[in-house]
Every structure is written in C-alpha cells, then in structure tokens.
Amino acid sequence: MISEHSKLLTVEELQMASAILKSVSHPIRLQIVDLLDKNSYLSVNEICYKISVEQSLTSHHLSKMRQSDILGTRKDGQRVFYYLKLKSLTNLLACMAHCMDNLKPQ
C-alpha cells in the first residue's frame, strides 16, 4: 500500500535506485557506509583497522563505491581520505535496522 505522501518512482528513478543498491549490496560495503556515516573522513588504513578487513579487499570495495559516486575522496599529502558522498544512504541503513528488528522473533 502506498501512503499518501509517497509517489511512484519513474523507471529512470528505479534504475538509479537499483544501481545504488547493487553498489552497496555487500556486507563489507554496508559496514563501510555505516562507518563513514559515523566518521566524516577516514583513510583506507583506518577503515581496514575498524572493520578488520585486509587492505586489498577494503580498497576493492572503496573503489567500487567511489566509481558509483557513493563515496568521495580528499587528499592530504600522500594520504587519501574517504567520505560518504551519498549521505541519504544512512536512511537506507536505518530502514534496514528497523526491518531487522521486525524480523526478530517476538
């Protein structure tokens, strides 16, 4: 059922939404999005440390999300810092947390 405040998405909007969901549809990527929501800028090494994942794998996921315009970068000398460019993804995480709560046995 569609609430009175919701609108139907166009085919183009649905295709964009699908591309975004595909870009974050991995637990490590969702973890990175959540981490960058809570920390404005983090380097690859900081991200690796906080999520306990090897640098090569972390860099792979960061690259994919950067190509999809989900993440942005800022350089400070030799270091590259990542930030969440598509801030509205935090709403998706909140929605998913709510859905997970509803899936728990009562």
Side-chain angles (χ1 to χ4, degrees), residues 22 38 48 54 56 86 90 99 101 103:
K22 185 185 262 188
K38 292 170 177 57
C48 292
E54 291 180 18
S56 60
L86 189 60
T90 58
C99 289
D101 286 343
L103 290 175

Side-chain angles (χ1 to χ4, degrees), residues 16-77:
M16 286 176 52
S18 177
I20 291 167
L21 291 171
K22 185 185 262 188
S23 296
V24 296
S25 66
H26 190 283
I28 291 174
R29 293 180 191 178
L30 289 171
Q31 200 173 9
I32 291 169
V33 168
D34 191 38
L35 188 61
L36 289 172
D37 176 45
K38 292 170 177 57
N39 302 271
S40 298
Y41 292 91
L42 291 174
S43 69
V44 176
N45 291 334
E46 292 169 319
I47 294 169
C48 292
Y49 176 77
K50 291 180 182 278
I51 65 173
S52 302
V53 175
E54 291 180 18
Q55 184 175 348
S56 60
L57 183 57
T58 301
S59 293
H60 168 76
H61 288 296
L62 290 169
S63 174
K64 291 290 185 184
M65 289 192 291
R66 189 171 172 212
Q67 290 171 4
S68 300
D69 252 3
I70 291 168
L71 302 181
T73 58
R74 175 180 61 93
K75 283 191 104 177
D76 185 8

Side-chain angles (χ1 to χ4, degrees), residues 70-89:
I70 291 168
L71 302 181
T73 58
R74 175 180 61 93
K75 283 191 104 177
D76 185 8
Q78 294 289 325
R79 295 180 73 189
V80 176
F81 292 89
Y82 287 86
Y83 65 93
L84 187 57
K85 195 171 178 182
L86 189 60
K87 296 274 189 194
S88 57
L89 273 178

